[in-house]
Amino acid sequence: MLPIGIAGAVVLAGVTVHSAFATPSADGLIAEVYGGGGNSGATYTNDFVELANAGAAPLDMSGFSVQYLPGTPTATSKWQVTTLTGALAGGGRYLVGEAAGTGGTTPLPTPDATGTLAMSGTSGTIALVTGADPLACLTAADCAADPRVKDLVGYGTAVVHEGSGPAAGASNTNSVTRGAALTDTDDNAADFTAGAPTPQNSGGTATTPPTTPPTTPPTSPPPVTARIHDIQGDTRVSPLDGKQVGGVTGIVTGVRAYGSSKGFWMQDPDADANPRTSEGIFVYTGANPTVAVGDAVSVAATVSQYYPGGATAGGQAVTELTKPTVTTVSSGNPLPAPVVLNASSVPDAFVPSAGGGSIENVPLRPSDFALDLYASLEGMNVQISDTRVVGATDPYSEMWVTVKPDQNPTKRGGTLYTGYDQPNSGRLMVQSLIPTADQAFPVANVGDTLSGTTSGPLDYNQFAGTYAVQARTLGTVKSGGIKPEVTAKASSDEATVATYNVENLAPDNAQTKFDRLAQGLVTNLRSPDVVALEEIQDNSGATDDGTVAADKTLDKLVGAIVAAGGPRYQWREIDPVNDKDGGQPGGNIRQAFLFNPDRVSFTDRAGGDSTTAVGITGTGADTALTASPGRIAPADPAWNDSRKPLAGEFTFRGKKLFVIANHFDSKGGDQGIDSRFQPPVRSSEVQRVRQAVIEHDFLQQLEQADPKADVVVLGDLNDYQFSPAVLSLTGNGSVLTDLVNTLPVRERYSYVYEGNSQVLDHILVSPAVRRADYDVVHINSEFADQTSDHDPQVVRIKP
């Protein structure tokens, strides 16, 4: 279900969740965490995690792993794993050495286990886990509910932590530690303190950094006197990174007093002549700022590079001033004039290429590339006016607009994503710095206009990983008038087949969700004869209790459809093996078929289960599935932690109709389109290509057995019509037609992510299908009020 790159369809809000873990560990504990190894100013060359045994009996570590999650995970973040071996003696210590940096002078004592986790020095989460499978939880509550988590420590500003808050004080020079008493109250903020790192292995060995008694008391170097443009420099990273600066002056242009990244923006009103250097910067205070917009301030602080989601996530760095001492010089000053962002000022080209390498040390070219322009304005006062909304308001009070309205417009007012080299440079996120009591964030749909003037500092959003106008003044929404679509009515001799990703549907969802899904199926899709559903969860939803059956979920949906005036559908599905199909942990999402027995019949053929592969038998008119429903190659590694295709055999007016329902692997783990690595790596693509090839080979067998077979392949392929994965499904001798390519170009989308209208859902048909009248029915993706994040699709065919 996830779209372009780091994206995700959903980005986790940066809200700290208090969650108690069930029982403090009686033996194995995380004793110390250090992510600053090898960083600037570090003594030790490597990151490390030190474990301790609070019990008397030895603990076999071969059944455990240490896992790391960035401090502010997104929906696509993955836990990274280091497996352990050996034993942890009663009352003993166990050292896990992790990634090395280029700094530091002192090696760790010989580790008991080694890994490659590149931990953040300031914010992250470490878990001691039973087993080596990566955790899937991305919130404190979900991790607390996972019985595999033996102990967990969030530090810095980590969203995932135990108790009231994360452990404080981690840095390049400080670890966080429980101390000798190994206090464990399941509250990281209370149990851990910061101090110089003290790594110790199972043999009791500790490396003491060499010291030479100073002949004179050590002195800190004096702070560097600098202007903001000196700090920002002409690349994406500061030439003064890690240095103390003083006398940094500017006018406060915006104050953020919410979330985990509290602080303010300041801008030097006396700009230099270099268009590459920004005159604005964010000052991270950690607590509610005491300054106000219009204050002239002088700041002494440390220059820091902040990587949203951690340095390994691929996002760009934000240059910040941290640990500040702020002096207010005067108040009520006029703000620096905003830089106007519009169609003529923003380049068409998005970002330079570095052959997959980092662009962060490459001099900015703001007149050539939009991402360079935005980087050169980081922290500065900017203005947009009368911009079209291309991404509807989301639950986190964010919307997307375009300052280039003529750039790949869709028929209904969005911005079309047409290729990897066309990420649409005019898109910007809009957030608000205005208290909701003074002005509620506007609710907007795609095609609306954010009219009037919106202005404020330009920020690199730490959760979405993209540039955002932090609105100090916010325009108003003028409706563009789009309405949910209703598909054309089918004739009686046409079979209608639809696909709909219903976004983690479970029995404990609100009844209104079931009612709205039912209304969409009955009214907007006109009660299709066959519906392939994606993301049907088991009867206990996201509770990971071993439940795999989904009859309650499907029966509740069928009941809602009947109540909405639709047919009493029957359904078929195959329960997956518990926790083996990916998706929301515990949800056991799968595909399912709904069918109207008054219009079509389902051929039930025994033998299909979660682990048995469906095959093809017979030839010509006798061609059949060996099991119906059945799963395609469920044991193949292509489907590890991913949904397996569901094949079913239907009959419409006496003729067979083969339907294959899909939900390919998500885009989780891909680098974002605005990554500092260009072009970004689409690592998840490898698995989807393999999935497509496996399914292609199955379909080729079916076509060879009966070239006249009516076949419909559909579902959430989690990839674009031009992607290697989809082309692997349609190419190499396949004669399937991807129906999205038959639509006018401006209508080719089923999903909207970060202001890009794109294709993730597909319906493909075999040549024997005589007529295919295809429609993407836009009822969700363009609207702030969504039932699902995907638009359904339907095809009317004459088999």
Side-chain angles (χ1 to χ4, degrees):
M1 129 182 137
L2 296 177
I4 299 171
I6 283 186
V10 177
V11 177
L12 300 180
V15 177
T16 300
V17 179
H18 294 182
S19 181
F21 281 61
T23 306
S25 175
D27 41 35
L29 288 168
I30 298 169
E32 186 174 0
V33 176
Y34 178 57
N39 293 352
S40 175
T43 298
Y44 289 99
T45 56
N46 292 68
D47 299 341
F48 70 83
V49 178
E50 184 178 310
L51 306 177
N53 189 346
L59 185 63
D60 182 4
M61 302 307 292
S62 60
F64 291 93
S65 63
V66 161
Q67 302 193 19
Y68 171 73
L69 183 72
T72 51
T74 67
T76 61
S77 295
K78 303 279 189 180
W79 286 84
Q80 302 168 52
V81 179
T82 297
T83 56
L84 308 181
T85 59
L88 173 53
R93 301 288 174 135
Y94 183 103
L95 185 63
V96 186
E98 298 293 359
T102 57
T105 57
T106 304
L108 298 175
T110 303
D112 299 292
T114 57
T116 58
L117 304 184
M119 297 154 52
S120 168
T122 57
S123 180
T125 301
I126 287 290
L128 177 60
V129 179
T130 303
D133 291 337
L135 297 174
C137 54
L138 297 176
T139 67
D142 286 344
C143 290
D146 193 326
R148 296 175 296 165
V149 178
K150 188 171 183 66
D151 192 22
L152 181 143
V153 177
Y155 60 95
T157 58
V159 171
V160 179
H161 56 76
E162 291 182 352
S164 64
S171 68
N172 289 350
T173 55
N174 281 344
S175 67
V176 292
T177 178
R178 289 188 193 273
L182 296 179
T183 302
D184 184 18
T185 66
D186 277 351
D187 187 338
N188 294 158
D191 294 346
F192 283 81
T193 58
T198 56
Q200 181 177 323
N201 62 18
S202 60
T205 303
T207 301
T208 302
T211 59
T212 302
T215 57
T216 58
T219 59
S220 300
V224 177
T225 301
R227 303 270 295 276
I228 291 175
H229 51 250
D230 300 324
I231 297 169
Q232 289 283 12
D234 64 358
T235 70
R236 287 174 166 81
V237 293
S238 172
L240 300 178
D241 180 28
K243 295 186 179 299
Q244 302 291 316
V245 291
V248 185
T249 59
I251 306 296
V252 176
T253 59
V255 175
R256 182 160 59 201
Y258 63 87
S260 61
S261 186
K262 295 177 180 177
F264 64 91
W265 290 268
M266 58 185 286
Q267 182 170 332
D268 191 332
D270 299 319
D272 66 2
N274 188 347
R276 293 181 171 134
T277 57
S278 172
E279 302 296 338
I281 198 165
F282 182 69
V283 182
Y284 173 70
T285 59
N288 286 343
T290 58
V291 299
V293 171
D295 285 355
V297 296
S298 178
V299 177
T302 301
V303 179
S304 300
Q305 297 299 142
Y306 173 62
Y307 290 91
T312 60
Q316 298 192 61
V318 181
T319 300
E320 297 181 343
L321 296 180
T322 60
K323 302 177 182 178
T325 299
V326 182
T327 302
T328 300
V329 179
S330 63
S331 299
N333 297 282
L335 303 188
V339 175
V340 176
L341 299 176
N342 56 30
S344 59
S345 65
V346 175
D348 291 333
F350 187 62
V351 65
S353 174
S358 174
I359 60 173
E360 65 180 359
N361 289 305
V362 177
L364 299 173
R365 295 162 60 185
S367 62
D368 295 331
F369 301 104
L371 210 59
D372 284 19
L373 172 67
Y374 300 147
S376 75
L377 300 175
E378 180 185 283
M380 289 182 63
N381 194 27
V382 299
Q383 175 183 305
I384 58 177
S385 300
D386 297 327
T387 50
R388 193 176 74 243
V389 176
V390 293
T393 302
D394 66 19
Y396 310 113
S397 295
E398 303 164 343
M399 73 169 70
W400 285 81
V401 300
T402 181
V403 297
K404 299 178 79 69
D406 295 330
Q407 192 173 54
N408 296 321
T410 69
K411 184 178 179 180
R412 289 162 58 89
T415 297
L416 196 70
Y417 184 62
T418 61
Y420 296 119
D421 58 347
Q422 295 289 328
N424 294 311
S425 62
R427 298 168 304 107
L428 285 170
M429 179 190 279
V430 176
Q431 296 179 293
S432 178
L433 298 175
I434 306 169
T436 54
D438 297 332
Q439 182 180 356
F441 193 81
V443 177
N445 298 324
V446 168
D448 291 350
T449 298
L450 184 62
S451 61
T453 297
T454 296
S455 62
L458 186 66
D459 182 40
Y460 188 72
N461 180 275
Q462 61 175 308
F463 302 118
T466 191
Y467 284 98
V469 180
Q470 298 291 333
R472 186 185 57 253
T473 60
L474 187 59
T476 58
V477 170
K478 179 181 178 182
S479 175
I482 66 165
K483 296 183 182 301
E485 291 185 330
V486 176
T487 196
K489 187 176 181 179
S491 61
S492 60
D493 62 345
E494 290 179 315
T496 52
V497 184
T499 176
Y500 199 170
N501 184 319
V502 292
E503 193 176 7
N504 290 320
L505 186 66
D508 60 358
N509 290 171
Q511 182 62 43
T512 53
K513 178 174 181 178
F514 283 89
D515 294 342
R516 293 183 61 177
L517 287 171
Q519 193 65 44
L521 287 164
V522 173
T523 301
N524 302 89
L525 271 70
R526 297 184 184 270
S527 300
D529 298 324
V530 178
V531 183
L533 299 170
E534 298 88 52
E535 294 199 19
I536 292 292
Q537 290 199 349
D538 64 38
N539 292 337
S540 64
T543 302
D544 195 0
D545 58 1
T547 301
V548 293
D551 55 300
K552 293 180 181 178
T553 311
L554 290 161
D555 285 345
K556 190 172 181 179
L557 179 58
V558 168
I561 292 170
V562 173
R568 184 168 293 281
Y569 283 106
Q570 295 183 17
W571 52 263
R572 298 290 187 274
E573 56 89 42
I574 293 177
D575 295 337
V577 176
N578 188 44
D579 292 336
K580 294 299 182 182
D581 276 24
Q584 187 176 27
N588 287 314
I589 59 174
R590 83 290 306 271
Q591 296 87 268
F593 291 124
L594 298 182
F595 65 94
N596 181 358
D598 295 333
R599 294 269 299 165
V600 296
S601 60
F602 189 87
T603 302
D604 288 293
R605 192 170 292 117
D609 59 33
S610 58
T611 58
T612 301
V614 64
I616 307 296
T617 183
T619 59
D622 295 326
T623 300
L625 302 177
T626 58
S628 178
R631 299 178 110 191
I632 297 175
D636 193 282
W639 308 107
N640 286 352
D641 296 317
S642 183
R643 284 67 57 189
K644 288 71 176 170
L646 184 69
E649 191 176 315
F650 296 83
T651 302
F652 176 75
R653 293 194 161 206
K655 190 168 184 182
K656 288 180 183 177
L657 176 63
F658 298 97
V659 182
I660 315 293
N662 296 280
H663 188 185
F664 280 10
D665 192 50
S666 81
K667 290 183 173 293
D670 288 4
Q671 293 173 350
I673 58 176
D674 51 5
S675 168
R676 69 181 183 276
F677 300 102
Q678 291 294 333
V681 175
R682 303 185 298 272
S683 57
S684 69
E685 194 172 79
V686 175
Q687 185 169 2
R688 284 192 302 281
V689 169
R690 183 175 175 88
Q691 290 174 343
V693 169
I694 295 296
E695 186 159 329
H696 168 277
D697 292 349
F698 177 84
L699 292 166
Q700 198 166 55
Q701 294 176 44
L702 181 56
E703 291 171 357
Q704 290 171 352
D706 182 9
K708 295 181 180 180
D710 293 314
V711 184
V712 179
V713 177
L714 75 175
D716 178 3
L717 300 184
N718 262 319
D719 226 331
Y720 320 115
Q721 68 274 33
F722 48 79
S723 67
V726 175
L727 295 178
S728 294
L729 185 60
T730 60
N732 302 319
S734 173
V735 290
L736 292 173
T737 298
D738 189 356
L739 293 178
V740 74
N741 294 321
T742 66
L743 294 177
V745 172
R746 294 174 64 192
E747 299 178 25
R748 297 177 186 176
Y749 64 95
S750 64
Y751 192 93
V752 179
Y753 178 71
E754 290 191 351
N756 270 325
S757 297
Q758 57 195 256
V759 176
L760 293 184
D761 309 270
H762 299 254
I763 297 181
L764 305 94
V765 296
S766 64
V769 175
R770 287 186 293 155
R771 185 172 69 85
D773 188 4
Y774 167 72
D775 190 12
V776 179
V777 187
H778 300 299
I779 60 175
N780 288 318
S781 68
E782 298 170 311
F783 297 93
D785 185 15
Q786 299 180 350
T787 312
S788 167
D789 49 351
H790 291 250
D791 285 328
Q793 306 180 4
V794 64
V795 62
R796 295 172 285 274
I797 62 176
K798 288 187 177 181

